[in-house]
Amino acid sequence: MTALIANDGVDSLPSRQGGNMSRAMNILVLQGGGALGAYQAGVYQALHEASIEPDWVVGTSVGAINGALIAGNRREDSLARLTAFWTRIAQPGYSQGAALADYEARTAKFMALASGVPGFFRPRPPWLIPYTHNLWDVPPSFYDTAPLRETLEELVDFERLGTRDLHDGTRLSVGTVNIAKGAMRYFDSQYDTLQSAHILASGALPPGFPPVWIDGEAYWDGGLCSNTPMDYVVESERPGSDMPINCYVVDLWSSEGPVPETIADAMLREKDIQYSTRAGHNLHFLKELNRQRQAIKTLGRHLTEEARQRPEIQQLLEQTQRSPVNIVRLLAPVRERETAQKDIDFSYATIMERWRMGLRDMTRALEICPCRRDPVSDDIGANVCSYRSRQDGELEDMTDASYV
């Protein structure tokens, strides 16, 4: 996998021309998806090679793991740490070529279920799994994620994830679900001192993985409520909100697909629908919200000064003071012969293929997306470019498919 890395040593942020906007705030939004997260690593490599480094990473589950590896290291080290993580959990840690790729994938899925994944999770002894009664006070799960805690504490510098401003490190937000309350909870390095427990909590998908206790409360995987943390970006406070925003959104699950004909097809389709969480709705809402803001701003220009000074009008006009937003959204390609267990296919060949796809797709998206050539102005407010990779490797423009 190291052959994929081509670090040019440049980590400066791209500049933006026009007015007082000297540069954009870069936000990277990462879904959960287990082994599918290798695609996100390739996406980050493409951004890194384009000298685009995120100021803020928002992730759920494996998106939180990748986010911690990116934000919890120096920019010049993040790609190497991503590589170290994905190499460590690959099983087996090599590939015997394309002819045996399907066999290796089937073997990797079986090994993940039967013996766990090195550096990630291991099975509990069957006699300790609390199916109906918990006599030994064991967390209710089939697997133990202590190996992941050890891996994170080795590869992530958690001292870098303290409360920071835009010019001092990368902000990280990870999505979890408070089990008792059934409510989404984001842990955010802007407000919280993030540790390995917060990352584990974001990826604690039941009943496979155990709940994680933080400050006396138990948490599960944020994907149970919202696997695409775009809503947090839209609603969250953003220091430096006078800056224009480039937001890169990576979707791992396909919200569209054929009607299944077999049980196996149905299991795959159900999983895709469940975890895609209709990310397009959030982006459509953001575009509509910005259209309304621009309409209010235009209306405000036609009001008399006396009318503009009325408190209720002032409050309304304040809602228009938002920086322009560019969104580049990638929908990961659907590979041939995928099954409902695709998220536990940790075979080296599949991880490498997904990584290469992410690198290829984001590199191409940066070349063709208009917002990279023509930054959004204050008069437009928001621009969304959505792309899905086809089987032939070309990107299909999905921008007008707002609800996908």
Side-chain angles (χ1 to χ4, degrees), residues 8 26 39 127 148 164 217 220 225 246 267 269 322 337 365:
D8 58 8
N26 295 315
Y39 182 83
W127 57 87
L148 178 58
R164 300 178 179 277
E217 297 191 273
W220 270 336
C225 281
N246 287 333
M267 293 171 64
R269 191 73 204 105
R322 285 280 182 159
R337 297 183 298 279

mmCIF file of all heavy atoms in Angstrom, residues 8 26 39 127 148 164 217 220 225 246 267 269 322 337 365:
data_model
loop_
_atom_site.group_PDB
_atom_site.id
_atom_site.type_symbol
_atom_site.label_atom_id
_atom_site.label_comp_id
_atom_site.label_asym_id
_atom_site.label_seq_id
_atom_site.Cartn_x
_atom_site.Cartn_y
_atom_site.Cartn_z
ATOM 1 N N ASP A 8 4.322 14.945 -1.630
ATOM 2 C CA ASP A 8 5.191 15.952 -2.236
ATOM 3 C C ASP A 8 5.748 16.919 -1.203
ATOM 4 O O ASP A 8 6.463 17.857 -1.537
ATOM 5 C CB ASP A 8 4.451 16.733 -3.326
ATOM 6 C CG ASP A 8 3.208 17.421 -2.799
ATOM 7 O OD1 ASP A 8 2.995 17.433 -1.560
ATOM 8 O OD2 ASP A 8 2.442 17.938 -3.627
ATOM 9 N N ASN A 26 -11.501 23.970 5.020
ATOM 10 C CA ASN A 26 -11.703 22.665 4.413
ATOM 11 C C ASN A 26 -12.299 21.701 5.435
ATOM 12 O O ASN A 26 -11.733 21.501 6.511
ATOM 13 C CB ASN A 26 -10.383 22.104 3.887
ATOM 14 C CG ASN A 26 -9.825 22.939 2.752
ATOM 15 O OD1 ASN A 26 -10.560 23.320 1.843
ATOM 16 N ND2 ASN A 26 -8.541 23.229 2.787
ATOM 17 N N TYR A 39 -11.699 3.193 1.130
ATOM 18 C CA TYR A 39 -11.982 4.175 0.073
ATOM 19 C C TYR A 39 -11.726 5.591 0.589
ATOM 20 O O TYR A 39 -11.178 6.436 -0.132
ATOM 21 C CB TYR A 39 -13.428 4.014 -0.374
ATOM 22 C CG TYR A 39 -13.865 4.917 -1.505
ATOM 23 C CD1 TYR A 39 -13.615 4.585 -2.828
ATOM 24 C CD2 TYR A 39 -14.563 6.097 -1.246
ATOM 25 C CE1 TYR A 39 -14.029 5.404 -3.877
ATOM 26 C CE2 TYR A 39 -14.992 6.922 -2.291
ATOM 27 C CZ TYR A 39 -14.715 6.572 -3.599
ATOM 28 O OH TYR A 39 -15.137 7.396 -4.622
ATOM 29 N N TRP A 127 -18.577 -19.159 25.853
ATOM 30 C CA TRP A 127 -19.203 -19.315 27.164
ATOM 31 C C TRP A 127 -19.300 -17.995 27.938
ATOM 32 O O TRP A 127 -19.985 -17.921 28.953
ATOM 33 C CB TRP A 127 -18.442 -20.350 27.985
ATOM 34 C CG TRP A 127 -16.980 -20.027 28.168
ATOM 35 C CD1 TRP A 127 -16.411 -19.263 29.139
ATOM 36 C CD2 TRP A 127 -15.916 -20.464 27.317
ATOM 37 N NE1 TRP A 127 -15.055 -19.182 28.959
ATOM 38 C CE2 TRP A 127 -14.712 -19.919 27.849
ATOM 39 C CE3 TRP A 127 -15.856 -21.261 26.179
ATOM 40 C CZ2 TRP A 127 -13.470 -20.150 27.271
ATOM 41 C CZ3 TRP A 127 -14.609 -21.487 25.608
ATOM 42 C CH2 TRP A 127 -13.449 -20.943 26.138
ATOM 43 N N LEU A 148 -8.321 -2.686 19.013
ATOM 44 C CA LEU A 148 -8.452 -1.394 18.343
ATOM 45 C C LEU A 148 -7.985 -0.267 19.254
ATOM 46 O O LEU A 148 -7.335 0.680 18.797
ATOM 47 C CB LEU A 148 -9.896 -1.153 17.908
ATOM 48 C CG LEU A 148 -10.190 0.199 17.236
ATOM 49 C CD1 LEU A 148 -9.322 0.403 16.000
ATOM 50 C CD2 LEU A 148 -11.667 0.319 16.877
ATOM 51 N N ARG A 164 -8.849 23.306 20.008
ATOM 52 C CA ARG A 164 -7.948 24.080 19.159
ATOM 53 C C ARG A 164 -8.725 25.082 18.315
ATOM 54 O O ARG A 164 -9.915 24.916 18.089
ATOM 55 C CB ARG A 164 -7.147 23.146 18.231
ATOM 56 C CG ARG A 164 -6.284 22.146 19.003
ATOM 57 C CD ARG A 164 -5.539 21.218 18.046
ATOM 58 N NE ARG A 164 -4.715 20.290 18.800
ATOM 59 C CZ ARG A 164 -3.509 20.575 19.258
ATOM 60 N NH1 ARG A 164 -2.971 21.756 19.016
ATOM 61 N NH2 ARG A 164 -2.819 19.677 19.940
ATOM 62 N N GLU A 217 -21.906 7.286 31.116
ATOM 63 C CA GLU A 217 -22.974 6.966 30.164
ATOM 64 C C GLU A 217 -22.431 6.058 29.067
ATOM 65 O O GLU A 217 -21.258 6.159 28.683
ATOM 66 C CB GLU A 217 -23.573 8.247 29.570
ATOM 67 C CG GLU A 217 -24.249 9.134 30.607
ATOM 68 C CD GLU A 217 -25.053 10.250 29.984
ATOM 69 O OE1 GLU A 217 -24.448 11.314 29.708
ATOM 70 O OE2 GLU A 217 -26.262 10.068 29.767
ATOM 71 N N TRP A 220 -23.045 3.750 21.739
ATOM 72 C CA TRP A 220 -22.897 2.851 20.612
ATOM 73 C C TRP A 220 -22.526 3.652 19.353
ATOM 74 O O TRP A 220 -22.459 4.884 19.368
ATOM 75 C CB TRP A 220 -24.200 2.098 20.363
ATOM 76 C CG TRP A 220 -24.349 0.805 21.088
ATOM 77 C CD1 TRP A 220 -23.360 -0.006 21.561
ATOM 78 C CD2 TRP A 220 -25.589 0.138 21.394
ATOM 79 N NE1 TRP A 220 -23.905 -1.124 22.154
ATOM 80 C CE2 TRP A 220 -25.267 -1.060 22.063
ATOM 81 C CE3 TRP A 220 -26.935 0.450 21.167
ATOM 82 C CZ2 TRP A 220 -26.243 -1.953 22.500
ATOM 83 C CZ3 TRP A 220 -27.905 -0.445 21.600
ATOM 84 C CH2 TRP A 220 -27.558 -1.630 22.268
ATOM 85 N N CYS A 225 -28.093 6.019 14.303
ATOM 86 C CA CYS A 225 -29.015 7.156 14.144
ATOM 87 C C CYS A 225 -28.744 7.942 12.872
ATOM 88 O O CYS A 225 -29.665 8.298 12.160
ATOM 89 C CB CYS A 225 -28.911 8.100 15.348
ATOM 90 S SG CYS A 225 -29.801 7.539 16.805
ATOM 91 N N ASN A 246 -14.984 24.787 1.816
ATOM 92 C CA ASN A 246 -14.934 23.665 0.897
ATOM 93 C C ASN A 246 -15.209 22.416 1.713
ATOM 94 O O ASN A 246 -14.440 22.069 2.612
ATOM 95 C CB ASN A 246 -13.556 23.546 0.227
ATOM 96 C CG ASN A 246 -13.322 24.629 -0.797
ATOM 97 O OD1 ASN A 246 -14.256 25.150 -1.381
ATOM 98 N ND2 ASN A 246 -12.060 24.977 -1.015
ATOM 99 N N MET A 267 -30.520 -8.899 1.689
ATOM 100 C CA MET A 267 -29.673 -8.534 2.826
ATOM 101 C C MET A 267 -28.718 -7.408 2.460
ATOM 102 O O MET A 267 -28.502 -6.472 3.240
ATOM 103 C CB MET A 267 -28.906 -9.761 3.312
ATOM 104 C CG MET A 267 -29.791 -10.839 3.932
ATOM 105 S SD MET A 267 -28.901 -12.376 4.263
ATOM 106 C CE MET A 267 -27.713 -11.810 5.499
ATOM 107 N N ARG A 269 -29.183 -5.185 -0.055
ATOM 108 C CA ARG A 269 -29.941 -3.958 -0.324
ATOM 109 C C ARG A 269 -30.413 -3.297 0.974
ATOM 110 O O ARG A 269 -30.400 -2.083 1.110
ATOM 111 C CB ARG A 269 -31.157 -4.309 -1.195
ATOM 112 C CG ARG A 269 -31.860 -3.087 -1.754
ATOM 113 C CD ARG A 269 -31.055 -2.437 -2.869
ATOM 114 N NE ARG A 269 -31.397 -1.030 -3.015
ATOM 115 C CZ ARG A 269 -30.633 -0.043 -2.601
ATOM 116 N NH1 ARG A 269 -29.486 -0.255 -2.015
ATOM 117 N NH2 ARG A 269 -30.995 1.206 -2.777
ATOM 118 N N ARG A 322 -23.910 34.265 6.143
ATOM 119 C CA ARG A 322 -23.201 32.990 6.118
ATOM 120 C C ARG A 322 -22.226 32.974 4.954
ATOM 121 O O ARG A 322 -22.501 33.502 3.889
ATOM 122 C CB ARG A 322 -24.189 31.831 5.956
ATOM 123 C CG ARG A 322 -24.972 31.521 7.221
ATOM 124 C CD ARG A 322 -24.143 30.687 8.178
ATOM 125 N NE ARG A 322 -24.870 30.327 9.371
ATOM 126 C CZ ARG A 322 -24.554 29.320 10.153
ATOM 127 N NH1 ARG A 322 -23.520 28.564 9.849
ATOM 128 N NH2 ARG A 322 -25.246 29.054 11.246
ATOM 129 N N ARG A 337 -20.192 -8.357 -7.632
ATOM 130 C CA ARG A 337 -20.327 -9.523 -6.758
ATOM 131 C C ARG A 337 -20.210 -9.159 -5.274
ATOM 132 O O ARG A 337 -19.729 -9.954 -4.468
ATOM 133 C CB ARG A 337 -19.309 -10.608 -7.123
ATOM 134 C CG ARG A 337 -19.500 -11.172 -8.535
ATOM 135 C CD ARG A 337 -18.528 -12.278 -8.825
ATOM 136 N NE ARG A 337 -17.149 -11.839 -8.782
ATOM 137 C CZ ARG A 337 -16.531 -11.213 -9.775
ATOM 138 N NH1 ARG A 337 -17.181 -10.936 -10.911
ATOM 139 N NH2 ARG A 337 -15.280 -10.850 -9.665
ATOM 140 N N ALA A 365 -12.435 14.103 -9.452
ATOM 141 C CA ALA A 365 -13.452 15.070 -9.035
ATOM 142 C C ALA A 365 -12.864 16.463 -8.877
ATOM 143 O O ALA A 365 -13.481 17.458 -9.252
ATOM 144 C CB ALA A 365 -14.099 14.616 -7.734
#
